[in-house]
């Protein structure tokens, strides 16, 4: 069944959907959202990406977590992204929400603020986002003390959410030495071939990072 992924190589949420596609080796047609021919906004007028389309049926799936859940049930790879054990599955979903709603949303707030005109900047919002990142790092530091991956023994949806969130969060609000378990988890994620691939494919775009990309990773 032919799949098209509307995405951008530098986009953190696109990485979240690309990682499980690469993990499973699932074939798909990549379609960049800045390609003027693309149908992305007609398919999803909310105009966020990634969006996955199953061409035969026209099924249109926005939201990276939903895309991953669909891939896991219709194009499964060797490593299930959602475990069959209901308790573990619930924990995976919880960690996925943690990474998206608190970590990823906070880093997006900081990056988004850098794109605003100076007089429209939201200093209080950015301070709150930085405080939330500190809270997230502290919570994750304790959580990762006895975990290799976010949940259970294997790489899951929660790790797909964690990889882009921690990658870019560290750029705008460094994890530093205070959170060694978080830093080690981020390094483990970056060493995984599927994650390494999205990071490498995005290198040419680093010059576009608002505020400048650090010279590492
Ligand atoms: N909740 C969405 C968030 C997707 C999202 O925020 N994508 C960013 C790119 S990383 C985007 O569409 N940015 C365009 C914009 O904000 O206008 C998901 O989980 O896929």
């Amino acid at each position: 069944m032919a799949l098209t992924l509307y995405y951008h190589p530098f986009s953190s949420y696109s990485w979240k959907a690309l990682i499980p596609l690469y993990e499973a080796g699932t074939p798909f047609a990549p379609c960049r959202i800045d390609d003027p021919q693309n149908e992305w906004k007609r398919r999803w007028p909310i105009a966020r990406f990634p969006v996955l389309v199953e061409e035969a049926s026209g099924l249109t799936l926005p939201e990276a977590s939903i895309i991953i859940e669909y891939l896991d049930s219709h194009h499964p790879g060797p490593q299930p992204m959602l475990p069959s054990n209901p308790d573990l599955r619930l924990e995976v979903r919880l960690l996925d929400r943690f990474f998206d709603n608190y970590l990823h949303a906070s880093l997006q707030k900081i990056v988004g603020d850098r794109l605003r005109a100076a007089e429209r900047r939201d200093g209080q919002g950015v301070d709150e986002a930085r405080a939330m990142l500190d809270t997230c790092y502290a919570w994750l530091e304790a959580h990762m003390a006895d975990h290799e991956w976010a949940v259970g023994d294997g790489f899951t949806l929660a790790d797909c959410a964690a990889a882009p969130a921690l990658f870019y969060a560290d750029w705008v609000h460094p994890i530093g030495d205070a959170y060694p378990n978080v830093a080690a988890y981020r390094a483990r994620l970056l060493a995984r071939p599927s994650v390494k691939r999205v990071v490498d494919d995005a290198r040419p775009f680093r010059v576009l990072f608002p505020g400048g990309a650090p010279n590492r990773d």
Side-chain angles (χ1 to χ4, degrees):
M1 220 174 286
L3 299 174
T4 300
L5 184 75
Y6 294 94
Y7 84 117
H8 190 280
F10 201 36
S11 131
S12 49
Y13 274 103
S14 298
W15 289 10
K16 183 174 166 183
L18 285 164
I19 290 166
L21 283 163
Y22 294 155
E23 286 281 331
T26 305
F28 67 99
C31 184
R32 274 177 53 169
I33 51 100
D34 50 356
D35 174 347
Q37 302 301 318
N38 86 56
E39 293 203 347
W40 156 61
K41 278 193 190 169
R42 187 186 69 72
R43 296 270 191 187
W44 184 235
I46 298 297
R48 295 293 183 274
F49 48 97
V51 172
L52 186 77
V53 174
E54 190 192 83
E55 296 298 346
S57 65
L59 177 70
T60 297
L61 293 167
E63 296 295 313
S65 298
I66 305 301
I67 292 171
I68 295 172
E69 193 155 342
Y70 163 84
L71 289 171
D72 211 40
S73 48
H74 291 81
H75 302 268
Q79 173 66 39
M81 292 293 133
L82 282 140
S84 53
N85 176 299
D87 296 334
L88 281 180
R89 203 164 60 231
L90 200 65
E91 199 185 341
V92 164
R93 287 209 173 98
L94 172 61
L95 269 285
D96 178 60
R97 296 301 78 219
F98 164 77
F99 287 117
D100 275 18
N101 291 343
Y102 305 110
L103 233 143
H104 210 141
S106 301
L107 87 86
Q108 281 187 319
K109 172 70 187 171
I110 296 168
V111 172
D113 201 70
R114 292 177 179 179
L115 295 169
R116 291 184 176 189
E119 69 278 9
R120 307 292 300 268
R121 296 239 164 97
D122 173 14
Q124 181 178 344
V126 168
D127 287 349
E128 287 167 2
R130 290 191 182 281
M132 176 56 86
L133 284 176
D134 284 330
T135 304
C136 288
Y137 292 163
W139 184 84
L140 192 59
E141 178 67 14
H143 178 79
M144 292 312 296
D146 55 359
H147 284 82
E148 181 183 11
W149 302 111
V151 179
D153 297 330
F155 189 91
T156 65
L157 161 68
D159 302 295
C160 298
L166 285 174
F167 180 87
Y168 285 115
D170 185 52
W171 277 16
V172 297
H173 193 74
I175 293 164
D177 297 335
Y179 307 107
N181 296 331
V182 180
Y185 175 46
R186 182 178 182 274
R188 261 192 314 280
L189 287 164
L190 297 196
R192 191 147 178 123
S194 59
V195 178
K196 197 169 160 14
R197 185 168 168 186
V198 293
V199 170
D200 285 344
D201 288 349
R203 284 185 197 282
F205 301 94
R206 286 188 181 196
V207 287
L208 301 175
F209 191 73
N215 194 17
R216 58 184 167 85
D217 296 325

